[in-house]
Amino acid sequence: MAEPGWEPCSNRSLERNDPLAGTAGLGERWLLVEIESAWGEHAFFSSALDVQIAARLVSRAEAAGIRPLAIRRTRLRAEERRSQTSWQWAIVDCRPGRQSIRWGRVDRVEDLLTLPLDGSAGEESDQPVYCVCTHARHDQCCAVRGRPVVEELARRHPEETWECSHLGGDRFAATMIVFPHGLLYGRVTAADVETVAERYYAGLIAPEYLRGRTSLTTIAQAAEAYARAASGDDRIDAYSVVSEHAHPHGWTVELAHDSGNVTVEVGERLSEPLLSTCGATIPRRVREFAAISIAPA
């Protein structure tokens, strides 16, 4: 039972206005696996997927520097989720200049263990993939806020839209990621999700929701967000990282831009103690970034 005065973590985050910039976890490459069953706390280890196969699959992907993500279609009935007879997968490369999505399918789940992870398997697709976290067993906010978002997105873009397992940053629910660029968004609502999709088709980000690009470090994500805010340039590939250096007072990040390189000084601070998930019981400080200066390189 919740304590008196308890609020969901995403509500508390909104009230505090926790900054989004630089909060996207690293993911240069991803392995998406369709698991059309109920998901427990860990979608790969508590689902229709055999536990031993799941352990080998996750270990193999992570050893190759690939981040695994469970996906499934929304609005399926329970009997449809139980009747999965084949396993669709995708390998996504989010690295700038190398973005790609390759889809495939196996009839036996064991065949996922021999799937080539070098990008040579599957059929390349030029369509984006929208994944919205609805992983209720991981955090209730993901389901409560994610469900209306994924349903609205699926209504408009049924082939490109999937529910997905935990993306990180429960307090920023609803969270969603756009592949192949690995644009991780937070605090997306059903009313505004089409704006994210429309801007992506136009080659633009939606800056008010962007947490970062998963192919970049969190420091570079923050630096890019500050540079965009200063210039107003919302093109997806407007900036690229030239260098990133730590120093006693923070980081210096040089970004390339077609109008000339810029240098962003990024500082760090610790938040007040907070409960970052609905299940957290001990308040902890989290790292937050701040723009110190932005100047021509």
Side-chain angles (χ1 to χ4, degrees):
M1 181 178 296
E3 294 291 330
W6 181 90
E7 285 187 272
C9 65
S10 59
N11 289 24
R12 298 192 299 263
S13 178
L14 274 170
E15 291 169 2
R16 293 188 303 262
N17 194 28
D18 295 348
L20 291 172
T23 65
L26 183 65
E28 292 185 322
R29 294 198 298 154
W30 298 69
L31 172 63
L32 281 49
V33 179
E34 183 181 19
I35 306 177
E36 289 291 2
S37 66
W39 300 335
E41 186 174 355
H42 193 299
F44 280 83
F45 298 138
S46 48
S47 65
L49 199 61
D50 178 85
V51 174
Q52 291 186 339
I53 291 176
R56 292 169 61 190
L57 179 62
V58 169
S59 177
R60 182 170 178 256
E62 291 179 345
I66 297 175
R67 192 167 161 180
L69 188 71
I71 59 172
R72 65 187 179 193
R73 291 299 191 186
T74 194
R75 292 182 175 173
L76 289 185
R77 297 187 299 271
E79 61 270 21
E80 292 176 311
R81 294 207 187 280
R82 289 195 295 266
S83 64
Q84 184 172 358
T85 57
S86 65
W87 305 78
Q88 191 170 195
W89 56 266
I91 292 180
V92 183
D93 194 332
C94 299
R95 291 172 291 185
R98 304 172 69 172
Q99 295 93 350
S100 66
I101 302 174
R102 301 187 72 89
W103 285 99
R105 185 183 293 273
V106 296
D107 294 327
R108 300 185 317 138
V109 67
E110 294 86 351
D111 292 337
L112 291 170
L113 299 177
T114 57
L115 175 68
L117 299 179
D118 60 358
S120 61
E123 182 177 346
E124 190 163 7
S125 170
D126 60 1
Q127 295 301 305
V129 173
Y130 303 118
C131 290
V132 181
C133 179
T134 58
H135 199 164
R137 288 292 188 91
H138 193 92
D139 194 293
Q140 68 179 40
C141 283
C142 298
V144 172
R145 293 187 182 273
R147 179 66 55 188
V149 172
V150 77
E151 289 186 353
E152 175 62 19
L153 199 55
R155 185 180 70 82
R156 295 172 177 266
H157 307 278
E159 295 304 314
E160 293 83 14
T161 302
W162 298 82
E163 297 181 20
C164 74
S165 56
H166 184 53
L167 288 169
D170 309 14
R171 61 194 167 115
F172 300 121
T175 60
M176 67 175 286
I177 190 166
V178 182
F179 292 124
H181 285 82
L183 301 173
L184 185 58
Y185 289 99
R187 298 194 183 125
V188 182
T189 67
D192 297 325
V193 69
E194 182 58 16
T195 297
V196 177
E198 287 179 349
R199 289 183 70 82
Y200 184 76
Y201 280 115
L204 304 171
I205 63 162
E208 61 269 41
Y209 308 109
L210 187 64
R211 296 174 56 194
R213 193 164 173 165
T214 65
S215 58
L216 304 179
T217 67
T218 53
I219 292 96
Q221 292 168 21
E224 185 177 279
Y226 304 143
R228 289 182 183 279
S231 69
D233 193 336
D234 292 339
R235 293 174 298 160
I236 292 173
D237 293 316
Y239 292 92
S240 60
V241 178
V242 176
S243 63
E244 177 184 318
H245 301 292
H247 52 74
H249 306 292
W251 296 266
T252 300
V253 182
E254 184 177 352
L255 301 172
H257 188 266
D258 53 18
S259 66
N261 290 10
V262 295
T263 296
V264 183
E265 294 293 337
V266 179
E268 178 186 56
R269 65 192 177 209
L270 289 176
S271 71
E272 292 299 315
L274 57 85
L275 299 173
S276 62
T277 69
C278 286
T281 57
I282 301 175
R284 300 186 187 280
R285 297 178 185 272
V286 299
R287 183 171 69 166
E288 297 176 346
F289 299 113
I292 305 302
S293 65
I294 303 169

